[in-house]
Amino acid sequence: MKAFSTTRKGGVSVGEYASFNLNNYCGDLPEHASENLSLLAGTIGVSEERIIWPHQVHGKKVVEIDEQFFLATPDRRQHLLEGADALTTRLTGVCIGVSTADCIPVFLCDERHHAVGMVHAGWRGTKQHIVGKAVEAMQEAYGSKPADLLACIGPGICVDHFEVGDEVFEAFAAEGFDMNKVAKRINRWHIDLPLCNEETLLSCGLRPENIHQSRLCTFERNNTYFSARRQGINSGRIFNGILLTE
């Protein structure tokens, strides 16, 4: 199994997309994103057609990438990926991924059943417990047991820099989050999105020792990672990928 989050280094994009942006939905030149995709494919050792990521909408839709997906027409594949924010697969040599730039990427691995998941958890997805939806999807599709799952919470914005209004605080509280644990007041409310996702994973039955927090803040480390809050939305995106190897 391989899992990774790309940095800003090593690509061909320029300006706020410099230099390793793969995303075609954030304003970068398509030819630059395409060349960066080719560079990534060569680095991880799979074809470009086997690198799959959705058009995310900050929702809670989970899509399984199976053999039928690759038998579908390109238009059908695009339709299946539209509006998804999490992917799962048990196919070897297929890299599933999500794009982030302050949102929280969550990697899931079931070694026993040879399956993986990749989750994009922005604040809206986090509030909707999307990581829990992905765990449920892996249970249904592969027979995964939460206690066996390994999870890694990758680079994303940290609590010190994720300032929100009262309405967002109240929305998280309404979804059952322990706000005394996941939020703090620094003039305005700040919410700890990595911790929120960890709490959701624990509530699903994952073992604490099987959850790893990268503790890498994209806002603070903007020289290394893209940060939409720091650069604006017209900027590059991190690609977070996971794939099963032989």
Side-chain angles (χ1 to χ4, degrees):
M1 187 266 290
K2 296 179 182 178
F4 61 90
S5 295
T6 60
T7 68
R8 298 184 62 177
K9 314 296 183 181
V12 300
S13 297
V14 298
E16 295 297 342
Y17 306 96
S19 65
F20 202 72
N21 169 66
L22 280 68
N23 193 295
N24 277 317
Y25 299 105
C26 58
D28 195 7
L29 293 174
E31 58 268 31
H32 286 172
S34 178
E35 186 169 346
N36 288 334
L37 175 61
S38 179
L39 289 169
L40 176 65
T43 299
I44 64 176
V46 301
S47 67
E48 294 178 30
E49 294 75 20
R50 306 283 278 184
I51 302 176
I52 309 297
W53 71 93
H55 183 203
Q56 301 156 194
V57 295
H58 297 272
K60 56 182 180 180
K61 178 182 174 182
V62 184
V63 171
E64 181 184 9
I65 304 302
D66 57 11
E67 292 87 349
Q68 294 302 312
F69 176 86
F70 288 100
L71 294 174
T73 65
D75 285 347
R76 176 61 178 163
R77 292 186 199 181
Q78 186 175 353
H79 174 75
L80 291 169
L81 294 171
E82 182 65 35
D85 281 83
L87 302 177
T88 68
T89 194
R90 70 186 327 170
L91 299 179
T92 299
V94 172
C95 179
I96 54 173
V98 295
S99 298
T100 59
D102 289 335
C103 294
I104 311 301
V106 184
F107 304 77
L108 298 171
C109 179
D110 179 352
E111 294 179 319
R112 176 175 294 183
H113 295 92
H114 199 64
V116 291
M118 192 71 240
V119 183
H120 163 252
W123 75 260
R124 291 177 178 84
T126 298
K127 178 179 70 69
Q128 297 177 86
H129 305 281
I130 186 173
V131 290
K133 303 296 182 186
V135 170
E136 291 173 4
M138 292 182 71
Q139 288 179 276
E140 293 174 7
Y142 316 124
S144 299
K145 299 184 184 302
D148 293 335
L149 290 177
L150 305 177
C152 178
I153 297 169
I157 196 165
C158 64
V159 62
D160 287 344
H161 299 288
F162 188 59
E163 181 182 280
V164 301
D166 290 348
E167 72 285 356
V168 175
F169 177 93
E170 291 164 3
F172 272 76
E175 290 294 330
F177 288 95
D178 182 351
M179 302 312 291
N180 290 322
K181 189 171 187 178
V182 303
K184 64 180 180 179
R185 191 113 187 165
I186 311 173
N187 296 320
R188 299 182 69 195
W189 285 112
H190 289 238
I191 294 179
D192 192 331
L193 292 180
L195 181 57
C196 287
N197 283 284
E198 181 176 349
E199 290 295 301
T200 297
L201 290 168
L202 290 170
S203 72
C204 291
L206 273 75
R207 298 176 180 176
E209 62 269 25
N210 287 349
I211 303 172
H212 172 72
Q213 285 273 10
S214 70
R215 306 196 189 284
L216 296 171
C217 177
T218 47
F219 187 96
E220 291 178 352
R221 297 171 180 252
N222 184 225
N223 287 335
T224 301
Y225 298 106
F226 294 110
S227 170
R229 281 216 168 191
R230 195 150 193 174
Q231 298 173 257
I233 60 171
N234 293 319
S235 58
R237 300 292 185 269
I238 302 162
F239 183 79
N240 309 273
I242 190 168
L243 70 153
L244 292 163
T245 53
E246 296 292 348

